[in-house]
């Protein structure tokens, strides 16, 4: 077997081809590694940013005289209504406890509870609410699962009427004390 042997010649050509191919694959691997580094860097930049929460639009709720009664932020399943601190709302005030809480919110809550029992609504999807107090003073109401815009509008109108009534009574009491 010598250099003239066709098998040796073929093996030498195969070796040259494999060396060339290996060099090409090494270059390609370097390019792929470079692209992978770029992707890793982009992922790191995007993954470790502080999440940008969408800003909740704040709505002002005003009374008949234009007085600011409350502010409200609305999320898909929750509305947060914060009362104007100048309007003192306590649990024992009739428009607040008997109208807003019992007649409006408790009625909606009970209606949803019945629908859940009848299988017309999913468990856990019924209206619920929480009143946040600072001592005896109610500061805000958080309404969960209000479900739709019509219902939210009814809640807002009820809050508006309640706070407007309390503010008007408060003004008339203050005015009476000033005249006495």
């Amino acid at each position: 077997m010598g250099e003239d042997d066709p098998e040796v010649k073929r093996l030498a050509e195969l070796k040259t081809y494999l060396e060339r191919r290996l060099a090409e694959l090494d270059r390609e691997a370097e390019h792929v590694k470079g692209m992978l580094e770029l992707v890793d860097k982009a992922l790191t930049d995007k993954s470790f940013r502080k999440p940008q929460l969408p800003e909740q639009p704040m709505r002002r709720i005003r009374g008949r005289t234009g007085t600011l009664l409350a502010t409200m932020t609305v999320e898909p399943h929750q509305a947060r209504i914060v009362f104007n601190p100048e309007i003192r709302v306590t649990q024992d005030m009739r428009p607040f406890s008997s109208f807003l809480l019992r007649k409006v919110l408790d009625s909606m809550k009970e209606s949803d509870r019945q629908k859940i029992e009848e299988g017309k609504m999913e468990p856990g999807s019924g209206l619920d609410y929480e009143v946040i107090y600072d001592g005896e003073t109610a500061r805000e109401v958080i309404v969960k699962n209000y479900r739709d815009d019509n219902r939210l509008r009814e809640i807002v109108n009820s809050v508006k009427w309640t706070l407007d009534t309390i503010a008007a009574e408060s003004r008339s009491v203050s005015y009476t004390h000033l005249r006495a």
Side-chain angles (χ1 to χ4, degrees):
M1 283 202 197
E3 288 181 348
D4 294 338
D5 187 359
E7 191 176 345
V8 172
K9 204 176 200 181
R10 191 157 149 59
L11 286 171
E13 288 173 358
L14 183 59
K15 180 181 180 197
T16 305
Y17 168 77
L18 290 172
E19 288 172 341
R20 204 172 354 132
R21 183 74 178 123
L22 187 57
E24 288 173 5
L25 289 172
D26 283 345
R27 281 192 303 273
E28 187 175 343
E30 288 303 313
H31 288 299
V32 170
K33 285 178 186 175
M35 288 186 286
L36 188 58
E37 286 175 10
L38 289 172
V39 169
D40 282 344
K41 184 180 181 322
L43 278 173
T44 301
D45 290 347
K46 294 192 183 289
S47 300
F48 294 107
R49 284 188 186 162
K50 288 184 180 177
Q52 298 286 328
L53 297 175
E55 197 171 304
Q56 307 293 329
M58 186 179 294
R59 177 178 168 196
R60 289 171 174 39
I61 300 173
R62 297 196 178 273
R64 290 182 295 258
T65 62
T67 306
L68 178 64
L69 301 173
T71 57
M72 178 176 74
T73 52
V74 178
E75 298 173 16
H77 300 286
Q78 177 176 295
R80 180 174 177 235
I81 302 166
V82 179
F83 304 149
N84 180 341
E86 294 175 8
I87 302 172
R88 188 165 188 275
V89 180
T90 60
Q91 186 173 6
D92 60 341
M93 291 181 149
R94 292 198 60 141
F96 181 67
S97 62
S98 63
F99 176 70
L100 182 63
L101 298 184
R102 286 194 201 107
K103 186 171 184 204
V104 177
L105 294 174
D106 285 344
S107 294
M108 289 179 177
K109 189 175 177 177
E110 178 60 22
S111 170
D112 285 1
R113 187 190 64 72
Q114 287 175 354
K115 288 178 183 173
I116 290 169
E117 281 182 6
E118 295 168 359
K120 294 178 181 176
M121 283 178 58
E122 292 292 318
S125 65
L127 182 132
D128 198 7
Y129 69 91
E130 177 184 4
V131 180
I132 308 294
Y133 290 95
D134 181 8
E136 291 184 10
T137 305
R139 292 290 176 210
E140 64 184 86
V141 176
I142 299 171
V143 181
K144 299 170 188 155
N145 297 327
Y146 59 85
R147 287 203 329 259
D148 62 41
D149 289 341
N150 290 333
R151 208 169 199 203
L152 183 60
R153 192 175 308 110
E154 183 180 348
I155 292 167
V156 169
N157 288 338
S158 299
V159 166
K160 185 187 292 189
W161 182 86
T162 300
L163 295 178
D164 216 12
T165 302
I166 291 171
E169 288 173 1
S170 174
R171 282 191 299 271
S172 71
V173 167
S174 297
Y175 181 70
T176 306
H177 282 107
L178 290 175
R179 289 182 48 193

